[in-house]
Amino acid sequence: MEQIGKLWWSHNKKNSSVKQSREELNRVRESLAKLLHTYKTLLVGTGRDGRWAPLLKDRGTPVSTANRYVKRHEDSSRPVEKKLLAEQLPPSAAEITKKVKMLPPGLIRFLTTSESTSRFMEVLGAALQRPMSSV
């Protein structure tokens, strides 16, 4: 925890100093994010069981900033999955049903007449038509 305190102090000092290079600041942020991530995995809990937020508050470290650094570290350590459009699987019936169930509340408030509902369905159908590929 002492190292986090030192890195946080160094981070604030370098962040406010115009003379410091951007690369050095990024290295400090990466080190800080890695350590914060390690501590968060050990100390995080829900409600009164959580020791993460109280520890940060005692050190004068903003919880939201620390959480943002932890998330940045998690995102950078995950392998990026790149799939070509052709490699993506079509959605399952359950995924389609889930997506459709999310629509009615907003549409019911928006489409107040049967005519507006019919028009919406026509426009939606036309918009979802895939162009025929010329092979």
Side-chain angles (χ1 to χ4, degrees), residues 78-92:
R78 277 192 205 117
V80 177
E81 289 186 32
K82 293 184 178 180
K83 293 183 181 179
L84 296 174
L85 215 49
E87 293 176 339
Q88 292 178 347
L89 298 174
S92 68

Side-chain angles (χ1 to χ4, degrees), residues 63-76:
V63 177
S64 60
T65 304
N67 285 335
R68 193 170 49 251
Y69 277 45
V70 168
K71 182 171 179 357
R72 189 180 307 157
H73 175 73
E74 289 171 348
D75 291 347
S76 70

Side-chain angles (χ1 to χ4, degrees), residues 117-131:
T117 303
S118 295
R119 180 67 185 143
F120 175 81
M121 295 303 290
E122 289 172 20
V123 173
L124 179 63
L128 293 176
Q129 294 298 317
R130 295 189 186 268

